[in-house]
Amino acid sequence: MTLSLKADAGRVSISGVLRKASGLSAAGLIASALALPTSILLGRWLGAYNYGRAQWVLIFYGYAALLRTGAFDGASRAIVHHRYRGEPEEAVKVQNVGLSVELAFAVFPGAALALAALAVDDPLRRLGLLLAPIAAITGTLAACLGGLRAVREEFAIVARITTLRGFLYPALTLMGASLIGPAALFVVPPVTDIIVSIGYALSGGRLDIHVDLNRRIIGRLLRTGIPFGLLAIVYWAYRLVGSTAVAFALPPVALGIYVFAAGPVAVLARAVASLHAVIRPVLWGRLAREEGEHSWADDTRHLTWVMLIVGGAATSVGQAVFGPMVRAAAPQFH
């Protein structure tokens, strides 16, 4: 079946979406190509014990990132709706409310982890937990600014910043690991997120960001966004359950080996996630214009199959090459 759909009629084809996603996919592949050997070198330099101690903290970072209000997800949906209906002022308003609520809420899980540091004896883990508030705020800011560029369909900007991050994070992590050891895994992400946030803020058109806590809009965004947030929690809880069980039941060495071995799946899954960033604003825009029609349903089914095939193939290739790379560069993890 050939889908030949015109953009001016509010339609979207698989080929059109894939063209828009190509830059993001290339950026994701670059980041993945650098992240995989970086993780192997980190494992070689830090060893399974220290690698596992650091990953113990990063698991909690992952759970803290899941605790979101859903306001920004609701805002993303509303931004596309207002833009496609020619309502730019309303789009800016919901953007600022969603961003303000999400950043304000990010303080709480980060602060909770910082308080938990008082009960931890391991100095490395204590340091990581104390830095959690900074990581939570900077990570949320970078993710939200990237999301704003994506829902505006400024995919070229997102691709450039993703490529920058793909080079910057491995370089800073390896440099940091050589200078301060495993603590670099806590210090480098906030630094990278700050640089990425600046890049998103200064690239492309003005975002007109300011603090806005309009209670009426907050309620509307939460009603829309909470289901999206719950979907993310279900997905990531599934992804994190294995490492969480190992972290609490086994020593740090076991956790280091487990997370190291799971690396190819995590890295390559992010490489194809760019399709999702492109699909959402395009389909939401069609929903805003079709007013109850469902001609997009066939397209979504086809795109779902494309994502499944690409993701499965990429993960299988990653697992195939991972073993020989480990044997050559980090034999203690083999």
Side-chain angles (χ1 to χ4, degrees):
M1 175 180 176
T2 301
L3 295 178
S4 177
L5 306 175
K6 296 181 179 179
D8 58 357
R11 307 294 300 276
V12 60
S13 65
I14 292 178
S15 59
V17 170
L18 292 178
R19 280 196 299 272
K20 288 186 176 183
S22 60
L24 281 176
S25 297
L29 288 172
I30 291 172
S32 299
L34 295 171
L36 197 55
T38 299
S39 66
I40 293 176
L41 287 175
L42 282 175
R44 180 186 180 93
W45 293 354
L46 301 180
Y49 176 69
N50 286 329
Y51 194 71
R53 292 165 68 206
Q55 291 297 331
W56 186 88
V57 176
L58 295 180
I59 289 173
F60 286 100
Y61 279 20
Y63 281 112
L66 290 180
L67 298 178
R68 299 171 58 183
T69 65
F72 185 78
D73 295 296
S76 299
R77 176 71 175 83
I79 289 168
V80 176
H81 182 84
H82 289 305
R83 286 184 66 244
Y84 273 78
R85 287 181 172 268
E87 301 166 348
E89 293 182 0
E90 289 297 319
V92 171
K93 187 178 297 184
V94 296
Q95 158 197 293
N96 289 324
V97 172
L99 182 59
S100 299
V101 171
E102 215 63 74
L103 284 174
F105 186 79
V107 175
F108 294 101
L113 290 180
L115 288 175
L118 300 176
V120 175
D121 295 328
D122 185 342
L124 177 65
R125 294 175 176 178
R126 188 186 310 120
L127 172 64
L129 293 175
L130 288 172
L131 293 175
I134 299 174
I137 295 172
T138 56
T140 300
L141 179 61
C144 289
L145 292 180
L148 289 179
R149 293 299 182 187
V151 297
R152 289 166 173 251
E153 299 186 34
E154 296 174 336
F155 301 120
I157 292 174
V158 181
R160 287 198 298 269
I161 301 300
T162 301
T163 303
L164 170 65
R165 186 186 193 121
F167 283 99
L168 187 64
Y169 181 76
L172 291 179
T173 302
L174 293 176
M175 186 184 305
S178 66
L179 295 174
I180 61 175
L185 274 70
F186 316 136
V187 175
V188 171
V191 173
T192 306
D193 286 331
I194 290 171
I195 296 172
V196 165
S197 298
I198 293 172
Y200 280 131
L202 299 181
S203 302
R206 288 182 56 191
L207 293 175
D208 296 319
I209 292 175
H210 61 268
V211 176
D212 191 340
L213 295 173
N214 185 300
R215 286 183 293 179
R216 179 182 59 83
I217 297 178
I218 289 174
R220 178 157 52 91
L221 296 183
L222 290 178
R223 285 192 296 272
T224 305
I226 285 176
F228 289 114
L230 292 176
L231 285 173
I233 289 175
V234 170
Y235 171 75
W236 282 105
Y238 167 76
R239 288 285 302 273
L240 290 170
V241 66
S243 55
T244 302
V246 174
F248 283 96
L250 298 173
V253 171
L255 178 61
I257 293 173
Y258 180 92
V259 175
F260 185 87
V265 176
V267 167
L268 287 166
R270 290 196 297 268
V272 297
S274 56
L275 284 170
H276 177 261
V278 174
I279 290 169
R280 285 211 310 184
V282 172
L283 291 180
W284 285 344
R286 286 184 58 179
L287 285 170
R289 289 184 294 201
E290 289 179 359
E291 298 186 358
E293 297 180 14
H294 300 290
S295 57
W296 47 267
D298 287 337
D299 294 350
T300 60
R301 280 191 287 269
H302 283 77
L303 288 166
T304 299
W305 278 108
V306 171
M307 294 175 70
L308 177 63
I309 293 169
V310 172
T315 302
S316 299
V317 170
Q319 292 284 31
V321 302
F322 190 57
M325 292 176 66
V326 172
R327 282 196 295 271
Q332 66 267 42
F333 282 90
H334 185 247

